[in-house]
């Protein structure tokens, strides 16, 4: 059997298809950006049809670049932007509304109402999550309530709902399979992560008919075969994981205590806690890291909504840079005597604050503040937010006694300046791997190992290779002063 494995990496701003060979090397890649829709303040939507078109075109592009036929591909692994949801017609596959994106805040009033009713402890105990617009459940409820006729159609069994992975699986298999994996399910606010099943009580609270939801499978499992008319031959879909869990797998963080952080549009740090379901006392999330062979591995997660998006703001909003890669060089030129802080709460603050109403702010400006100081503040905000997550994780879980080493991936980690500043603020080593396509690699490994053409977890972990380790260089007094300034800036930004 061929060792080629195709990863579909459906992200927040673009869709990518990456073809790996039997040596786990990238041999073909396709990428396509798609439109971001902002119909109201704090609302973010995607057109599911545009996403579908981008996935098909990038898959074909990756195969073409590698001069590979669909028949030569052993399996497909899918990884996706989590929490973004679609509801579609069961008969036609047509979406009833744009996808509501994970960044969207429109359900903040519903979350506030549920909190006021004292329901957050119930949701948190069962799902490991907090009542926040970030998660999928309230988005599904909103669409069922606001789209004309949707609730009646859902109750009749005419509609299906799911995160982007489920929508793609449905389309790829020609409507034969409605499924998701345990990691995506664990982000919906209606999945009991201890019992590993949809929770009927939580579904009832949000008034979501269970019939619209997908079947939940292991991360490495049988998700059907693609319609042969799509790519010329049917390919088995054998792996699925939400993007942050896929990156955790791609970073080979299989042992309890291992930690990875992905720096893309947002920043997401996961700490593997093994079979230990740790209930956070510090406003972190308890989530499923992966489920293999029916065995669940848990993680503590800290979610930061704005990381790379702050650099996009410098480029597209303020127009002080032409391309993202310029930011590190510009930040290095900043005046060291100025203490400018950016709190990037453009869509609220995530962990450990969970303040949906907070909005972005800049502090410490002087007459001499300019583009360099803004660039440094944007990059440092990512380091400061990561430090907040790391501190919370250490308070929550005592299972890791060794000093934390952070494995990093995502678009921002190409910047040496940013990674060095991250190590400085964390006061911990930061390891950048040689393969930065860790999200796609994780999805590919799930599929490839299930197909029997790639190694099992232990051998896969041995293949992880270090590009560079960044060690702390900043003196303690400077670090302490910077953190004090950051925490004061956050305190002033919080809405309550």
């Amino acid at each position: 059997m061929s060792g080629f494995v195709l990863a579909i990496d459906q992200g927040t701003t673009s869709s990518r298809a990456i073809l790996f060979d039997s040596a786990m090397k990238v041999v073909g890649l396709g990428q396509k950006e798609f439109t971001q829709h902002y119909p109201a303040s704090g609302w973010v939507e995607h057109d599911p049809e545009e996403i579908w078109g981008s996935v098909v075109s990038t898959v074909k592009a990756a195969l073409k670049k590698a001069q590979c036929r669909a028949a030569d591909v052993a399996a497909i692994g899918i990884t996706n932007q989590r929490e973004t949801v679609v509801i579609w017609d069961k008969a036609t596959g047509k979406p009833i509304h744009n996808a509501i994106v994970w960044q969207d805040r429109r359900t903040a009033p519903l979350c506030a109402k549920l909190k006021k009713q004292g329901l957050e402890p119930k949701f948190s105990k069962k799902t490991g999550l907090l009542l926040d617009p970030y998660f999928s459940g309230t988005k599904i409820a909103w669409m069922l309530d606001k789209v004309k006729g949707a609730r009646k159609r859902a109750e009749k069994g005419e509609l299906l709902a799911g995160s982007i992975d489920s929508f793609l699986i449905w389309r790829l298999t020609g409507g034969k399979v409605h499924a998701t994996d345990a990691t995506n399910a664990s982000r919906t606010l209606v999945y009991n992560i201890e019992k590993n099943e949809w929770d009927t009580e939580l579904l009832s609270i949000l008034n979501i008919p269970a019939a619209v939801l997908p079947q939940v499978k292991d991360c490495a499992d049988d998700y059907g075969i693609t319609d042969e008319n799509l790519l010329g031959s049917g390919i088995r879909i054998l792996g699925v994981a939400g993007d942050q869990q896929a990156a955790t797998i791609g970073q080979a963080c299989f042992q309890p205590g291992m930690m990875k952080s992905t720096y893309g549009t947002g920043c997401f740090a996961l700490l593997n806690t093994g079979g230990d379901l740790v209930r956070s006392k510090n406003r972190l999330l308890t989530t499923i890291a992966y489920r293999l062979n029916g065995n669940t591995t848990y993680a503590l997660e800290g979610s930061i909504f704005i990381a790379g998006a702050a650099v996009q703001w410098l480029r597209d909003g303020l127009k002080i840079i032409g391309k993202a890669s310029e930011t590190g060089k510009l930040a290095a030129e900043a005046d060291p005597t100025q203490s400018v802080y950016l709190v990037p709460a453009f869509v609220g603050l995530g962990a450990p604050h969970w303040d949906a109403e907070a909005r972005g702010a800049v502090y410490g400006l002087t007459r001499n503040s300019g583009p360099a100081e803004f660039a440094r503040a944007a990059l440092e905000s990512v380091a400061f937010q990561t430090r907040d997550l790391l501190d919370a994780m250490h308070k929550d879980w005592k299972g890791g006694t060794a000093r934390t080493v952070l494995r990093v991936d995502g678009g921002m980690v190409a910047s040496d300046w940013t990674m060095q500043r991250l190590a400085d603020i964390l006061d911990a080593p930061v390891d950048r791997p040689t393969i930065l396509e860790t999200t796609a690699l994780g999805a590919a490994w799930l599929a490839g190992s299930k197909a029997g053409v790639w190694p099992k977890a232990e051998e896969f972990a041995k293949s992880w290779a270090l590009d560079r380790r960044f060690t702390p260089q900043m003196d303690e007094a400077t670090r302490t002063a910077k953190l004090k300034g950051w925490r004061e800036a956050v305190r002033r930004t919080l809405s309550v």
Side-chain angles (χ1 to χ4, degrees):
M1 186 187 293
S2 162
F4 287 110
V5 177
L6 179 67
I8 294 172
D9 182 357
Q10 204 299 297
T12 307
T13 58
S14 70
S15 298
R16 289 144 54 80
I18 302 177
L19 188 69
F20 295 87
D21 66 12
S22 57
M24 296 183 283
K25 302 296 184 188
V26 175
V27 292
L29 187 149
Q31 179 167 353
K32 189 171 185 179
E33 292 191 0
F34 53 85
T35 311
Q36 308 294 307
H37 299 273
Y38 307 101
S41 177
W43 293 27
V44 190
E45 295 180 358
H46 294 155
D47 178 355
E49 295 292 356
E50 189 181 3
I51 286 178
W52 169 245
S54 69
V55 167
V56 174
S57 66
T58 54
V59 165
K60 290 179 177 178
L63 292 172
K64 184 177 180 181
K65 188 167 185 179
Q67 296 183 322
C68 178
R69 299 174 306 149
D72 298 323
V73 179
I76 291 175
I78 297 174
T79 182
N80 56 288
Q81 50 166 319
R82 304 173 307 173
E83 297 95 16
T84 297
V85 291
V86 188
I87 299 180
W88 64 96
D89 185 298
K90 189 175 182 179
T92 66
K94 185 179 179 181
I96 66 166
H97 188 275
N98 271 349
I100 301 181
V101 180
W102 58 271
Q103 298 161 311
D104 190 282
R105 313 304 287 170
R106 76 186 66 188
T107 63
L110 174 56
C111 292
K113 178 184 174 184
L114 295 169
K115 282 183 187 177
K116 196 172 181 180
Q117 293 171 355
L119 291 170
E120 186 166 66
K122 185 185 294 288
F123 276 90
S124 187
K125 185 175 189 302
K126 292 186 173 195
T127 70
L129 309 177
L130 300 168
L131 278 172
D132 189 87
Y134 173 32
F135 303 110
S136 308
T138 57
K139 295 175 169 66
I140 295 172
W142 186 94
M143 278 194 267
L144 292 177
D145 285 335
K146 300 297 184 182
V147 178
K148 188 176 180 180
R151 183 164 296 287
K152 283 186 178 179
R153 296 187 65 204
E155 289 167 354
K156 288 179 183 176
E158 296 176 4
L159 300 180
L160 297 176
S163 41
I164 296 295
D165 62 304
S166 296
F167 179 65
L168 294 180
I169 291 165
W170 178 262
R171 284 288 180 91
L172 287 166
T173 61
K176 290 184 174 66
V177 179
H178 184 39
T180 190
D181 83 296
T183 68
N184 277 295
S186 76
R187 314 300 295 188
T188 59
L189 211 56
V190 288
Y191 189 73
N192 189 311
I193 61 172
E194 191 169 10
K195 295 181 178 178
N196 265 287
E197 62 185 28
W198 298 118
D199 192 283
T200 53
E201 184 182 17
L202 300 182
L203 287 170
S204 177
I205 292 170
L206 290 179
N207 201 13
I208 297 172
V212 304
L213 297 173
Q215 179 187 1
V216 182
K217 293 174 172 278
D218 284 354
C219 298
D221 212 326
D222 181 3
Y223 289 86
I225 300 174
T226 63
D227 187 326
E228 62 181 23
N229 295 320
L230 201 59
L231 301 169
S233 294
I235 307 174
R236 294 186 298 165
I237 305 170
L238 295 180
V240 179
D243 52 9
Q244 304 313 318
Q245 283 90 341
T248 304
I249 293 165
Q251 289 277 33
C253 291
F254 293 124
Q255 299 302 315
M258 297 185 76
M259 181 178 175
K260 77 90 206 177
S261 192
T262 298
Y263 297 94
T265 303
C267 161
F268 301 88
L270 269 77
L271 175 70
N272 184 327
T273 61
D276 191 2
L277 195 164
V278 179
R279 301 194 182 280
S280 176
K281 296 180 175 64
N282 293 280
R283 307 285 286 171
L284 295 175
L285 307 177
T286 306
T287 197
I288 293 177
Y290 46 85
R291 196 175 84 193
L292 299 172
N293 301 315
N295 297 315
T296 303
T297 295
Y298 295 98
L300 279 172
E301 176 175 322
S303 307
I304 297 168
F305 298 149
I306 301 293
V311 176
Q312 291 174 327
W313 174 66
L314 296 179
R315 183 192 67 192
D316 303 334
L318 299 186
K319 301 188 187 304
I320 63 175
I321 55 170
K323 52 186 178 180
S325 57
E326 298 170 9
T327 318
K329 182 176 182 295
L330 187 60
E333 298 168 0
D335 180 358
T337 66
Q338 291 192 48
S339 298
V340 178
Y341 292 91
L342 166 66
V343 183
F346 301 140
V347 290
L349 283 173
H353 311 288
W354 295 105
D355 187 344
E357 303 306 318
R359 287 297 177 264
V362 182
Y363 299 95
L365 293 176
T366 71
R367 183 64 182 81
N368 292 327
S369 300
E373 286 70 37
F374 270 82
R376 183 183 63 191
L379 296 181
E380 282 190 332
S381 74
V382 176
F384 289 134
Q385 290 178 99
T386 307
R387 174 63 186 254
D388 289 346
L389 299 182
L390 186 61
D391 288 348
M393 286 175 173
H394 283 163
K395 289 175 186 174
D396 272 337
W397 191 61
K398 308 303 180 186
T401 53
R403 190 182 189 197
T404 300
V405 176
L406 182 65
R407 289 185 172 181
V408 296
D409 54 74
M412 294 189 80
V413 307
S415 166
D416 288 355
W417 190 94
T418 307
M419 292 302 98
Q420 182 57 56
R421 187 51 53 101
L422 180 62
D424 289 339
I425 297 300
L426 294 182
D427 191 23
V430 172
D431 283 359
R432 182 171 66 194
T434 54
I435 297 178
L436 295 180
E437 300 287 1
T438 53
T439 304
L441 181 62
W445 177 78
L446 289 169
S449 61
K450 181 68 175 176
V453 298
W454 278 21
K456 297 300 181 185
E458 191 174 316
E459 285 302 309
F460 175 68
K462 290 177 183 177
S463 71
W464 187 92
L466 179 70
D467 167 53
R468 179 173 170 183
R469 168 169 283 189
F470 297 85
T471 56
Q473 305 294 325
M474 185 179 285
D475 63 85
E476 186 59 34
T478 302
R479 181 185 303 110
T480 300
K482 281 183 169 291
L483 285 167
K484 183 180 178 182
W486 164 254
R487 285 161 187 160
E488 174 61 18
V490 170
R491 184 190 69 78
R492 295 184 183 192
T493 305
L494 293 171
S495 67
V496 289

